[in-house]
Amino acid sequence: MTLSMAMTFAIAGFLLWLAGAVLIAWLAFSLGRWLGGREARREDAEHEGPVGSVVAATLALLAFTLAITFNMAHSKHNHRKELVREDAKATRTAYDRALLLPPDAAQRAHVLLAEYARIRSFDTFAQPDLPLAEVVERSEAIQRELWRGAVEHRAHPQVRFYMDALGNLTNTHAERVTMGVYDHVPLAVWICLVIVTALGMLTMGYQSALAGSRRTRAMIPLIVAFCVVLCMAVDLDRPQEGILRVDQGPMKRLAAALSDLPPGL
């Protein structure tokens, strides 16, 4: 799959999420208008004033819930970006401290760390078919080999600094895997947001019909705006699949720098 195709699929996926959200919101709004129309035709129809207060409160709750969800997704996205920078720094530190090993061992460690940086500098737009499980497996295999090399020379007093760097490298890798694969906005939060959105659209439709307004087209921009923000939050929570993906630039630059360095120097 080419880069342009991967980008096209990502945009199509976002638009599909957006279309689904708009459809659900519009159906809820239409249901509210139908219920409001029935109420308006009754002789003792409900007054619009109290309903307006309910609509305002529901929309305020919707905005609050949407803001919380977006902030959660955005915070996790920023943390993933920060971990890429931390991963690049940890790899470079381990590469530099590998010089504390004997020459042969340092050369072997440099070769492994250069490969480590290269396989982790992937771009899911340019390489959409890249199996991330294999990247994780190979990264952990390299870590084990680096640790074996360090343990073999642990008698050297300076090697402990290299081992500290390897510990930081391993921990950063574990945190990246956790944040990138397992740590997402909880499903319960998304369900709550969908329910509150549907209720907000329903109450708006109810008030609109109760007031006798026929200008339903004026509600379309508001519905679409809510849905766009919601879908942006969803996109931020899909770091390897959406449009807003985590930038691998720091690791790419490190991989390019290490590939130009001769091992052991």
Side-chain angles (χ1 to χ4, degrees):
M1 188 184 297
T2 63
L3 175 61
S4 59
M5 289 179 61
M7 179 65 76
T8 301
F9 279 125
I11 294 174
F14 179 84
L15 294 177
L16 187 62
W17 277 103
L18 180 59
V22 170
L23 177 61
I24 293 173
W26 183 256
L27 289 175
F29 178 79
S30 299
L31 176 61
R33 279 191 62 84
W34 178 75
L35 294 174
R38 288 187 59 186
E39 180 65 25
R41 289 191 292 270
R42 293 175 54 184
E43 293 183 1
D44 55 341
E46 188 174 9
H47 294 291
E48 181 187 352
V51 176
S53 300
V54 173
V55 172
T58 305
L59 291 181
L61 181 60
L62 171 57
F64 179 71
T65 307
L66 187 58
I68 290 177
T69 306
F70 189 90
N71 183 64
M72 290 178 64
H74 187 258
S75 297
K76 292 178 183 296
H77 183 79
N78 281 343
H79 191 192
R80 294 183 187 107
K81 290 171 63 176
E82 178 63 26
L83 283 173
V84 174
R85 294 190 288 269
E86 291 297 324
D87 199 14
K89 288 192 294 185
T91 305
R92 184 64 206 228
T93 301
Y95 189 93
D96 292 339
R97 293 188 183 182
L99 292 172
L100 299 172
L101 296 170
D104 291 343
Q107 184 174 0
R108 176 58 181 163
H110 282 174
V111 170
L112 290 172
L113 286 165
E115 181 188 358
Y116 187 83
R118 179 179 56 78
I119 65 175
R120 296 170 74 82
S121 62
F122 57 87
D123 186 339
T124 52
F125 277 126
Q127 302 168 279
D129 299 324
L130 181 69
L132 294 180
E134 293 184 8
V135 173
V136 172
E137 182 180 356
R138 179 54 187 159
S139 296
E140 293 175 352
I142 291 175
Q143 290 172 17
R144 288 192 295 270
E145 194 164 349
L146 289 169
W147 273 109
R148 282 195 292 269
V151 170
E152 287 177 3
H153 301 90
R154 64 182 180 276
H156 295 265
Q158 307 264 341
V159 171
R160 68 177 185 275
F161 297 110
Y162 171 62
M163 297 177 77
D164 288 342
L166 288 184
N168 188 31
L169 183 78
T170 304
N171 293 337
T172 304
H173 164 78
E175 194 168 359
R176 279 196 69 184
V177 171
T178 299
M179 287 296 301
V181 179
Y182 302 107
D183 194 358
H184 299 281
V185 176
L187 179 61
V189 174
W190 293 118
I191 294 174
C192 177
L193 180 58
V194 170
I195 292 174
V196 174
T197 301
L199 291 176
M201 298 302 111
L202 187 145
T203 54
M204 278 201 306
Y206 185 85
Q207 183 195 34
S208 174
L210 199 63
S213 174
R214 296 180 179 274
R215 298 180 180 178
T216 56
R217 293 181 182 177
M219 303 303 300
I220 294 177
L222 178 61
I223 292 174
V224 173
F226 269 112
C227 293
V228 166
V229 178
L230 190 153
C231 290
M232 288 291 289
V234 172
D235 199 73
L236 285 170
D237 201 42
R238 302 162 64 230
Q240 307 300 336
E241 301 172 11
I243 300 174
L244 303 172
R245 305 192 183 186
V246 177
D247 180 27
Q248 303 293 327
M251 190 59 77
K252 288 181 180 179
R253 291 188 288 273
L254 176 64
L258 296 186
S259 66
D260 294 335
L261 294 176
L265 296 178

